[in-house]
Amino acid sequence: KENITGADYCATRLRLEVKDSSAVNEKAVKAAVSPLVQQYLDLKKKHPDAILLFRCGDFYETYKDDAVKASKILGITLTKSNGRKDDEGKPLAMAGFPYHALDTYLPKLIRAGERVAICDQLEDPKMTKKLVKRGITELVTPGVSINDNILNYRENNFLAAVHFGKASCGVAFLDISTCLLYTSPSPRDGLLSR
């Protein structure tokens, strides 16, 4: 057995109480997060690098860092909720717009270089007494979008593919605005010598 002095015992006990207290505080903060905010956080984990447009009734809402980004890009008001807390126990930052304005705001986010995950309500809110089931229904990126409101129809919008085979190589370009397809197959040696 080790000889523990009274001071060592007190210091060890204090460290354990502080550790237990921080674990309790972390649990308390998590418990204080509303089911709606928890649903948002769970969906956000699936696409952490995308702005999550979270459908709440007649609005698409953004929260936390997404709200700060969206408010700057879209020129919409950034607010903080007095009632709802985020997962860090801070007032929840929010910014949103009416769902019918998605075709106005989504192109602005994409043109700003943002990836956007669109989360919709998957059931009729009138048919449930619980939290409405939501899911990500579309992921829109600046590189691959076929939405007419995002594409500039006055410019070419190309997708490119490159193939390296054992005997041959090829390059293909598809203009998704006009549906023109350009291909250039070549023997592997011929492509490398050009």
Side-chain angles (χ1 to χ4, degrees):
K1 289 185 176 181
E2 293 179 27
N3 288 333
I4 298 176
T5 66
D8 288 338
Y9 175 78
C10 288
T12 302
R13 184 81 180 129
L14 183 60
R15 277 195 299 276
L16 289 174
E17 285 177 10
V18 168
K19 187 176 179 183
D20 288 345
S21 172
S22 64
V24 168
N25 287 342
E26 188 176 312
K27 286 180 184 176
V29 167
K30 213 168 195 178
V33 172
S34 73
L36 181 81
V37 173
Q38 189 59 54
Q39 187 181 49
Y40 167 83
L41 294 170
D42 293 342
L43 288 165
K44 180 67 179 169
K45 283 180 192 173
K46 294 178 181 178
H47 298 283
D49 58 337
I51 291 179
L52 179 58
L53 299 181
F54 190 78
R55 179 80 182 265
C56 287
D58 291 340
F59 285 82
Y60 279 110
E61 293 288 350
T62 56
Y63 299 108
K64 297 184 64 171
D65 294 339
D66 287 353
V68 174
K69 269 191 211 174
S71 69
K72 288 179 183 173
I73 294 168
L74 302 175
I76 58 178
T77 302
L78 176 67
T79 62
K80 294 206 183 224
S81 173
N82 290 331
R84 287 197 175 126
K85 304 287 184 194
D86 66 15
D87 53 333
E88 297 170 356
K90 299 176 185 171
L92 185 64
M94 305 183 309
F97 56 86
Y99 78 95
H100 56 79
L102 181 64
D103 288 343
T104 301
Y105 290 111
L106 182 60
K108 291 178 181 181
L109 292 169
I110 299 304
R111 288 185 189 120
E114 297 293 336
R115 295 181 71 219
V116 179
I118 300 173
C119 172
D120 284 306
Q121 297 173 165
L122 302 178
E123 61 186 352
D124 186 348
K126 295 175 189 168
M127 304 307 277
T128 184
K129 292 183 180 182
K130 298 179 182 179
L131 183 64
V132 175
K133 185 177 178 182
R134 291 178 175 83
I136 295 171
T137 55
E138 189 175 359
L139 184 63
V140 185
T141 64
V144 181
S145 177
I146 55 173
N147 185 320
D148 288 338
N149 294 322
I150 295 173
L151 292 176
N152 184 346
Y153 65 90
R154 294 183 182 137
E155 296 176 358
N156 295 101
N157 295 278
F158 286 106
L159 286 178
V162 179
H163 169 74
F164 291 100
K166 290 183 181 180
S168 64
C169 298
V171 178
F173 296 95
L174 171 65
D175 182 349
I176 59 177
S177 300
T178 62
C179 295
L180 291 175
L181 176 66
Y182 304 97
T183 61
S184 178
S186 175
R188 189 170 178 106
D189 294 341
L191 185 67
L192 297 176
S193 65
R194 290 182 191 180

